[in-house]
Amino acid sequence: MGEKDKQTAGQDGPLVLALDAGTSSVRAMLFDRQGHAVKDCTGQKHYRMNLTPDGGAEADAAELVEHMAAAIDDALEQAGPLAKRIAGVGVSCFWHSLLAVDGAGRALTPVYSWADGRSADAADQLRVEVDEGAVHDRTGCVIHASYWPAKLRWLQGTQAQVVKRAARWCGFGEYLLGRFTGGDGCSVAMASGTGLLNQHTADWDQPMLDLLGLRPDHLPPLVDRDEALPRLTDEWAGRWPALAEAAWYPAVGDGVCNNVGSGCVTPTRLALSIGTSGVMRVVIATKDVEIPPKLWCYRLDRRRFVLGGALSNGGVVADWLHTTLRLPDDAAEQVAAQRPDSHGLTVLPYLAGQRTPDWNPRSRASILGLTLDTTPVAIARAGLEAVAYRFALVHELLRPLAADGYQIIVSGGAIAHWPVWPQIIADAIGRPLVASAEPEASARGAALLALDALDLIPGLEDTPAPLGETYTPDERNYPIYQRARARLEHFHDLLQPELSGATPPKTEHLAAKN
């Protein structure tokens, strides 16, 4: 993009910078006041989580900050004179991360990802100590290794000295903005995914704090997503003069940013995303909400709730199959050519344990029905279908919260590698899926939230996202997938207790189900 072209981009008003901290890369992108990305004004840095043999998934906090700073450098350099028109900065950050900081705001621990499973035993211990149903009713979260209570209990038992030195616990989004601005506010949206927020009062949940031996000042002060943080510190303002006067807004969870960026901010649209994991979400504006069992409940802000279900196994299943089975270059085309469930296989796709609806981090994957003529491509097709069946289950739980005639908007990087996957999911669910044409929904969502906070757009509901292809379900395939899904659920009930180390179900219970 030439300098003349850049000068005409977004010429109707101020611009915003969106920061997007994901689990494999961080990026900085420039957006105009219509929510359109400004061409060739993007910085991106890739990184890898450190995966440990005992189930850890962590990253170095200082390195992540430097990666984001380098991405901002690149975006501002590419923006040239446009950078002077940046009025605000919005931040999308992966949900559920945790780290400890000292009194000077320095990290004492790595950033622990939601995928870090080392606190599974601590979660088991907590379940004995609390009424899990009551905890879920208050916090919208189950007791699980993904959330803060289990991680904090694990750290209290394994790193007592670090815990003693910790002045505060926060997520990476708060740490990042603390380094840049000196602010320490945590958005209600981000806090809602910790397992420590009372969803009904939008305040830290005192019973959980008491259980973990925490005071409210051990956690960041809560702010809403449109309450600006302090401006850049002198150090960073010197590095980025164009951002010195910009308003910086608290980080918001990447999931809710995806909903906003793909135009799914009312019950008329459900968002379905397939990345490394998988998720379905709906946004509801209401004063309070009754939280359905098995689903989680977070917040967009103090006026809107986000309810949904998450799969630990989305694109990671396809990636594992592709690598392990050494699939051919045209595997996607071969998978698309196969008929539904023609392989006769049943895949329990729990490579990374389970979240919705069973929330069992110890679940393990299985492939059943293998024969001498089973091909790698057939196994790949069965794996994609298995994930679709889990989406169908989440959809059934979420459907009562949607408006009449709702749409399902599908997005995610895994779709680009497996174009047939949305059609498989549509056939398994029995409803059309409409592809989002917004390639960077989370970054766009962060930009729209910043624009809304700056009063530069009428509202989040008035910024529609571009849509792409519609995947209409084939009515002939739905009953085939229903039978295959029932087969998966039968083997799920039969095998998961054994594979996860739990007590196996009684024989008469299985006979009754059959």
Side-chain angles (χ1 to χ4, degrees):
M1 186 178 187
E3 288 302 317
K4 182 176 180 180
D5 295 325
K6 288 181 180 178
Q7 291 168 7
T8 61
Q11 56 186 325
D12 58 340
L15 306 173
V16 294
L17 185 68
L19 309 184
D20 183 10
T23 54
S24 60
S25 73
V26 298
R27 72 190 70 198
M29 299 181 64
L30 202 60
F31 286 81
D32 66 22
R33 65 180 301 171
Q34 283 75 43
H36 300 143
V38 180
K39 187 178 179 183
D40 295 334
C41 293
T42 299
Q44 182 174 15
K45 302 297 177 183
H46 292 275
Y47 74 97
R48 289 182 179 272
M49 285 278 178
N50 178 32
L51 304 179
T52 65
D54 57 349
E58 60 186 41
D60 183 274
E63 287 182 4
L64 279 187
V65 171
E66 284 305 318
H67 287 323
M68 182 62 83
I72 294 172
D73 289 341
D74 291 347
L76 295 180
E77 180 180 0
Q78 293 172 23
L82 287 181
K84 298 178 181 179
R85 291 166 48 192
I86 297 174
V89 182
V91 182
S92 167
C93 182
F94 45 85
W95 240 325
H96 321 308
S97 64
L98 174 67
L99 71 154
V101 298
D102 64 16
R106 294 183 294 261
L108 297 174
T109 68
V111 178
Y112 299 111
S113 161
W114 67 265
D116 195 306
R118 289 174 289 187
S119 57
D121 288 344
D124 291 342
Q125 180 184 356
L126 285 173
R127 289 191 194 97
V128 176
E129 301 176 28
V130 301
D131 179 341
E132 190 170 9
V135 171
H136 180 260
D137 287 341
R138 295 196 316 271
T139 68
C141 302
V142 300
I143 301 297
H144 187 267
S146 295
Y147 298 119
W148 284 20
K151 284 185 168 58
L152 288 166
R153 175 60 66 85
W154 166 65
L155 289 166
Q156 288 167 349
T158 60
Q159 300 187 46
Q161 290 303 312
V162 172
V163 171
K164 187 176 181 179
R165 291 174 55 203
R168 183 164 286 174
W169 299 91
C170 65
F172 175 67
E174 293 74 59
Y175 177 78
L176 175 76
L177 290 169
R179 303 312 293 172
F180 286 167
T181 72
D184 60 356
C186 175
S187 72
V188 169
M190 189 62 80
S192 69
T194 64
L196 291 180
L197 188 85
N198 186 309
Q199 301 293 350
H200 307 286
T201 64
D203 204 351
W204 295 118
D205 186 70
Q206 193 60 51
M208 291 303 293
L209 267 59
D210 291 342
L211 179 69
L212 296 165
L214 297 176
R215 301 188 309 269
D217 64 348
H218 287 134
L219 304 172
L222 294 169
V223 297
D224 215 344
R225 48 97 181 166
D226 56 356
E227 299 177 45
L229 298 170
R231 301 193 190 279
L232 285 177
T233 65
D234 291 343
E235 173 191 357
W236 294 103
R239 180 164 170 171
W240 304 316
L243 301 180
E245 298 302 316
W248 288 71
Y249 292 100
V252 174
D254 55 355
V256 72
C257 284
N258 183 280
N259 265 62
V260 173
S262 57
C264 301
V265 291
T266 70
T268 61
R269 284 185 172 181
L270 305 185
L272 188 158
S273 180
I274 317 175
T276 300
S277 57
V279 66
M280 290 188 74
R281 299 174 297 262
V282 63
V283 174
I284 300 174
T286 180
K287 291 183 178 179
D288 202 359
V289 67
E290 182 176 345
I291 303 173
K294 299 185 178 181
L295 295 177
W296 45 253
C297 175
Y298 308 147
R299 280 180 173 264
L300 192 162
D301 49 33
R302 294 188 187 274
R303 297 186 298 112
R304 299 177 180 91
F305 293 88
V306 185
L307 294 104
L311 310 179
S312 295
N313 303 279
V316 68
V317 174
D319 290 346
W320 182 88
L321 290 168
H322 195 282
T323 301
T324 305
L325 300 178
R326 300 181 181 179
L327 294 173
D329 293 339
D330 64 343
E333 291 79 5
Q334 290 192 46
V335 165
Q338 290 198 335
R339 292 180 292 106
D341 197 37
S342 58
H343 42 72
L345 301 172
T346 300
V347 174
L348 304 183
Y350 311 137
L351 293 166
Q354 285 191 80
R355 286 189 281 173
T356 308
D358 298 302
W359 295 95
N360 185 351
R362 296 187 179 86
S363 289
R364 295 294 178 262
S366 305
I367 304 174
L368 299 107
L370 295 167
T371 66
L372 288 173
D373 63 351
T374 299
T375 67
V377 170
I379 298 174
R381 172 85 189 203
L384 299 188
E385 290 174 349
V387 175
Y389 304 150
R390 305 311 283 173
F391 271 122
L393 190 155
V394 174
H395 173 254
E396 290 176 359
L397 296 172
L398 205 56
R399 183 172 54 197
L401 303 174
D404 292 341
Y406 64 92
Q407 289 181 302
I408 302 175
I409 309 300
V410 62
S411 64
I415 296 173
H417 300 290
W418 301 94
V420 73
W421 213 348
Q423 185 63 55
I424 292 173
I425 297 172
D427 290 349
I429 291 177
R431 286 190 68 93
L433 267 60
V434 182
S436 171
E438 174 51 58
E440 301 293 347
S442 293
R444 181 176 188 264
L448 291 176
L449 291 171
L451 289 166
D452 184 59
L454 291 163
D455 291 325
L456 293 175
I457 56 175
L460 299 179
E461 298 86 352
D462 302 306
T463 53
L467 298 177
E469 180 179 355
T470 295
Y471 301 89
T472 303
D474 187 330
E475 61 182 15
R476 298 169 299 179
N477 295 339
Y478 181 71
I480 297 173
Y481 283 143
Q482 284 290 91
R483 291 191 294 271
R485 178 183 161 192
R487 194 173 69 233
L488 181 151
E489 292 177 357
H490 164 67
F491 283 118
H492 170 95
D493 291 347
L494 182 66
L495 294 177
Q496 281 309 294
E498 289 288 347
L499 293 174
S500 64
T503 302
K506 296 180 180 179
T507 305
E508 58 267 26
H509 169 68
L510 292 173
K513 287 185 71 68
N514 295 333

